[in-house]
Amino acid sequence: MPVRGAALPYATCPYCQTLILHDARGVEEVGKVAVLPFDVSPIQLGTVLRPGDQRLTVVGRVRWAWSGGSWNEWLAQADDGTPCWLGEAAGLYMLTVEAQQWLDLPELRDFVAGGPIAPGLAVQLGARRLVASDIKEVECLGSEGDLPLPTQVGTRMASIDFRGTEGEVLSLQRDGRGASAWFGASWDLAGLRATNLRAIAGWTLPKDLQ
Amino acid sequence: MTAARAITCPACGGTIEVRAAGFSVNLACVHCGSLLDVSRPEVVLIERHAEAARAYALPLGTRGVLYGDEWAVVGATLRSDGEASWQEFLLFNPYRGYRWLVLFEGDWQFGTPLTDRPQGDGVRIVWRGEGYAAVSDPTVTTNQAVAGEFYWRLAAGDTAQCTLFERGDEVLSRECTADEENWTHLVPLPGALIAEAFGPAPTQPGRRRSAPQGFSAAGAKPQRETGDRDDLVWMFGLATITAIVALFAMVLLAGPVSVVTGRIQVPVGSRTQPERIGTITVTRPYQFVTITADTDNFHNRWVDLDYSLVDRATQQSTDAYGLVEYYTGTDSDGAWSEGSHRTETMISRVPRGTYDVYVGAEAHGWPSDPVQTPDAWYGTETISVKIDARTGAMSWGMWVTLLLGLLAWPGLILWWRNREDD
């Protein structure tokens, strides 16, 4: 079983759905991961994204569910190893990179300590003002590929999105291991200049995405 | 095989395709109308129904090409704001995401969901550098029926606060529910294009379209039956006769003309109380009333006009709304201007009676009101608006629309044939 990124210590075996932790101490079996439900996402492991002058390769996916539905978070790695999350919902994409510095904002201290966030809470990130618009308790439905976090069935976390007026997003996550902050923007596939997309039976891959 | 997930309806046992598997959350069964939760691998019944989906203008699952991309109709909903009802269709392409088709009183619009939010107050907003003006106050819109699949928990009976903002024939629609605010950009789409993309409506017999012609080695032009060409002449002839008959009928129906004119002065930066312009009389059971507002030259100002026709006998008021706006400026492309100093508002189906015409107005500067300096000579800036209200108007717009509708099909066929012949 190939293990792609050393910074991504968790890998899902595509044959037996076992989640494996590999680090300096060796390789360890963590548990079982659920089979991902069928979906018609155009992204797959190996899809290449070129937002701006970057080049990112998709190496893993987690499917999260909340009371109102479920969605994919694809892990994309830049050529220098920087991890990015590509959130996929309703055919639109949110591409974010880690931005731990925003966890120091006074408005977010309570969240980092384990407290809740009220809908409508506004935070000022430099010149941008973002508002908490999406507050969810989420549960892992399954995973594939290489990931920085364990994704056994029943893994839970708090997921909060703050949005700006131009599609900017600050995404906060908190699980048993602590809180993390990710900042980015909204995209469509054409804007991401995605290639090596999944071929979906019955649909033609648009020319600009080939 | 198509990329759809097949499920079994837990209410009626029928097989249903989930066309946007992984994105769809709620699904109304095409067989029994029951509402299902399809967000998880296990399908859960939300609400049991026992009637099949009503007939929509576009059947679920139909595919068509619009703006160069193929779209599948995955959801349909019948909506109402209490006065009118219309159909909305959710389109899906796995590589492009979701779009909307709206069918309102025979007119089609194509909608794209926005990720960036327009800026401004409830009256005038700016999106990607362009100004849009509110057409109405927020109205409560109810989903009376739903069919097919949606990427959020849509159910019959759901309501949303909707506001429309216009700029020419482009519309921005804002929909607010308890916990979400969604914006959609809508552009008009000719009905002929919808018919071309999705095929004729299911109730009409399918018209044979000329099949794709293969290349012949000799380069000879493909043969065509002469019957087709005769059809085309007939179609043009029938369209012309219908248009002329409609014109006579409209003139006849428009009825006698009663006119009143007046002028109001609107200070910029404030609003005026409704002012009585005069009286008009509707002598037929129903007539059109047209109100035209004509203004002075001004730049970067907009005037909201509230019209009320108050029936003398019942004191019932029929309200309408007009907007005059004109903006100029320069950008990287040079000087630009948009808007007009004149606007025409048509009120349909005004019942027989004598009406007092009242006009209230509000004028503002763009992007902000001018600073008012007390000036003994000139006073505050005002915009003078000439109002003309008349009955017995002819809806030329309606006739032109009819004409376009009548000529669209034969015209399209003619163009298609010419293109084939080239």
Side-chain angles (χ1 to χ4, degrees):
Chain A
M1 185 186 142
V3 175
R4 279 159 285 242
L8 307 173
Y10 293 92
T12 306
C13 171
Y15 308 106
C16 69
Q17 298 298 121
T18 303
L19 184 68
I20 289 161
L21 170 65
H22 54 93
D23 57 14
R25 287 166 297 165
V27 174
E28 184 189 326
E29 193 179 315
V30 183
K32 285 279 185 189
V33 170
V35 180
L36 282 166
F38 172 77
D39 69 10
V40 288
S41 171
I43 309 281
Q44 62 183 355
L45 297 187
T47 293
V48 174
L49 312 170
R50 291 186 185 78
D53 51 7
Q54 293 181 80
R55 186 177 179 280
L56 309 168
T57 310
V58 173
V59 296
R61 143 155 81 154
V62 190
R63 187 146 185 111
W64 295 101
W66 59 296
S67 57
S70 56
W71 82 99
N72 288 322
E73 287 283 347
W74 296 93
L75 185 73
Q77 230 178 359
D79 287 343
D80 65 0
T82 308
C84 305
W85 284 109
L86 180 73
E88 180 182 37
L92 289 169
Y93 297 86
M94 280 185 338
L95 186 66
T96 56
V97 290
E98 194 156 26
Q100 288 298 97
Q101 71 273 20
W102 300 120
L103 290 177
D104 298 333
L105 288 170
E107 299 93 322
L108 301 182
R109 264 185 215 141
D110 191 37
F111 171 78
V112 175
I117 278 189
L121 175 75
V123 291
Q124 195 75 32
L125 311 188
R128 303 162 193 271
R129 190 181 135 92
L130 283 77
V131 176
S133 58
D134 213 347
I135 297 164
K136 294 174 181 142
E137 283 295 323
V138 301
E139 180 193 340
C140 180
L141 277 190
S143 65
E144 63 175 327
D146 297 326
L147 294 164
L149 74 171
T151 52
Q152 299 104 305
V153 177
T155 302
R156 287 171 182 279
M157 68 172 190
S159 168
I160 287 137
D161 287 344
F162 288 75
R163 282 170 205 271
T165 54
E166 281 158 40
E168 324 93 294
V169 61
L170 174 70
S171 178
L172 303 183
Q173 273 128 46
R174 188 186 60 208
D175 59 15
R177 304 171 309 147
S180 65
W182 300 77
F183 181 79
S186 304
W187 298 84
D188 58 17
L189 277 188
L192 288 168
R193 293 191 290 149
T195 50
N196 193 18
L197 289 166
R198 180 176 153 203
I200 301 167
W203 288 95
T204 313
L205 189 61
K207 282 210 175 64
D208 60 322
L209 296 174
Q210 280 169 10
Chain B
M1 195 205 102
T2 57
R5 169 186 166 208
I7 60 162
T8 304
C9 174
C12 71
T15 303
I16 317 165
E17 280 194 342
V18 184
R19 297 185 174 90
F23 297 107
S24 289
V25 163
N26 269 26
L27 185 149
C29 172
V30 285
H31 309 297
C32 67
S34 294
L35 196 61
L36 314 177
D37 178 350
V38 294
S39 66
R40 303 283 186 106
E42 63 284 359
V43 176
V44 179
L45 179 64
I46 300 173
E47 204 176 273
R48 185 183 294 268
H49 290 285
E51 56 179 293
R54 48 173 293 119
Y56 287 92
L58 296 178
L60 292 174
T62 317
R63 289 199 190 187
V65 176
L66 288 174
Y67 301 107
D69 285 314
E70 188 178 19
W71 299 99
V73 179
V74 296
T77 167
L78 179 71
R79 308 187 81 192
S80 163
D81 62 2
E83 286 180 13
S85 64
W86 64 95
Q87 297 179 16
E88 294 187 5
F89 299 91
L90 185 60
L91 305 181
F92 177 72
N93 172 315
Y95 299 104
R96 300 296 191 205
Y98 288 97
R99 298 292 185 275
W100 287 99
L101 276 179
V102 180
L103 173 60
F104 186 87
E105 291 175 357
D107 291 327
W108 291 89
Q109 286 175 304
F110 183 79
T112 308
L114 300 188
T115 51
D116 48 344
R117 258 177 51 193
Q119 297 296 292
D121 56 20
V123 181
R124 196 164 168 80
I125 54 166
V126 176
W127 180 64
R128 298 189 186 173
E130 309 278 15
Y132 291 74
V135 184
S136 63
D137 289 332
T139 49
V140 176
T141 302
T142 308
N143 287 89
Q144 295 181 313
V146 298
E149 47 193 287
F150 293 88
Y151 57 85
W152 73 102
R153 291 243 178 268
L154 182 67
D158 282 1
T159 59
Q161 282 269 352
C162 300
T163 318
L164 298 179
F165 300 85
E166 274 185 4
R167 178 176 179 278
D169 57 5
E170 285 182 36
V171 176
L172 288 177
S173 136
R174 181 180 64 193
E175 299 217 355
C176 296
T177 58
D179 44 27
E180 267 193 68
E181 174 181 326
N182 286 307
W183 288 86
T184 308
H185 178 233
L186 295 155
V187 293
L189 206 58
L193 263 183
I194 300 284
E196 175 89 337
F198 293 93
T203 49
Q204 292 163 12
R207 222 193 109 72
R208 198 178 62 81
R209 306 250 288 274
S210 51
Q213 308 285 348
F215 293 101
S216 65
K221 280 191 181 167
Q223 290 294 314
R224 202 188 288 116
E225 307 95 304
T226 47
D228 256 15
R229 205 176 276 285
D230 289 345
D231 269 6
L232 196 63
V233 174
W234 268 106
M235 281 169 90
F236 270 114
L238 208 61
T240 313
I241 293 166
T242 313
I244 292 168
V245 169
L247 187 64
F248 275 109
M250 282 171 83
V251 170
L252 223 76
L253 281 172
V257 180
S258 154
V259 187
V260 63
T261 55
R263 195 173 269 283
I264 59 167
Q265 307 295 332
V266 191
V268 175
S270 70
R271 69 180 308 151
T272 64
Q273 289 304 311
E275 216 175 297
R276 188 173 160 274
I277 302 294
T279 306
I280 53 169
T281 310
V282 174
T283 48
R284 291 284 181 87
Y286 288 102
Q287 271 187 304
F288 279 110
V289 172
T290 311
I291 305 178
T292 312
D294 225 328
T295 58
D296 303 340
N297 279 337
F298 59 76
H299 299 280
N300 298 327
R301 303 279 181 267
W302 49 279
V303 187
D304 271 327
L305 294 153
D306 290 311
Y307 305 126
S308 301
L309 302 181
V310 180
D311 188 328
R312 284 232 170 138
T314 62
Q315 290 301 308
Q316 288 265 350
S317 163
T318 306
D319 298 331
Y321 172 86
L323 173 71
V324 191
E325 53 182 343
Y326 191 80
Y327 311 99
T328 55
T330 36
D331 60 16
S332 54
D333 296 332
W336 56 269
S337 72
E338 63 163 280
S340 155
H341 289 107
R342 189 168 186 279
T343 185
E344 195 179 282
T345 305
M346 188 166 239
I347 309 169
S348 63
R349 287 182 68 81
V350 178
R352 191 196 306 269
T354 304
Y355 294 88
D356 284 324
V357 181
Y358 285 90
V359 180
E362 185 171 356
H364 288 289
W366 182 82
S368 60
D369 283 332
V371 180
Q372 299 288 2
T373 43
D375 187 317
W377 292 106
Y378 297 107
T380 43
E381 179 190 341
T382 59
I383 294 175
S384 174
V385 186
K386 186 181 165 229
I387 303 288
D388 176 301
R390 58 180 64 212
T391 66
M394 263 275 302
S395 174
W396 283 106
M398 245 160 81
W399 189 72
V400 169
T401 309
L402 177 82
L403 200 65
L404 287 177
L406 284 169
L407 294 176
W409 258 118
L412 209 69
I413 293 169
L414 194 70
W415 170 77
W416 184 253
R417 284 187 185 167
N418 279 337
R419 217 179 62 151
E420 268 182 356
D421 288 344
D422 285 344

